[in-house]
Amino acid sequence: EIVRDVCGHFGLLESELRDSKVHRTSRARKIAWALMRRRADCSYEQIARMFGRTHTSVRHGVASVNILSAEYLALTNRAEAAE
């Protein structure tokens, strides 16, 4: 369900999300991985098998999404405090 929702949001086919190494799909794929970790409690290994990647690639991708999420929240909070 998470994969389907992410594909719909980004206008991608599931096969593109799973197989492509094109930049426009890599961001969506990493977001899907992070959501699968948070909401579906999937292990890095489970996600890696589903996407044909290594668990270290998935771990790195999830970490990059988490860093960007934290930076976005910090900037949003700072902007709201300045208003």
Side-chain angles (χ1 to χ4, degrees), residues 39-57:
R39 295 194 178 149
D41 200 33
C42 292
S43 70
Y44 293 117
E45 290 81 10
Q46 289 171 318
I47 298 167
R49 279 194 300 275
M50 290 174 65
F51 285 84
R53 301 295 198 275
T54 65
H55 78 282
T56 53
S57 294

Side-chain angles (χ1 to χ4, degrees), residues 10-24:
F10 286 95
L12 300 169
L13 299 172
E14 285 189 33
S15 60
E16 291 177 304
L17 189 72
R18 293 179 193 276
D19 301 330
S20 179
K21 294 188 180 185
V22 177
H23 178 72
R24 83 178 185 100

Side-chain angles (χ1 to χ4, degrees), residues 55-74:
H55 78 282
T56 53
S57 294
V58 174
R59 222 170 68 197
H60 176 74
V62 170
S64 69
V65 170
N66 291 340
I67 289 168
L68 289 175
S69 296
E71 289 174 352
Y72 173 78
L73 288 174

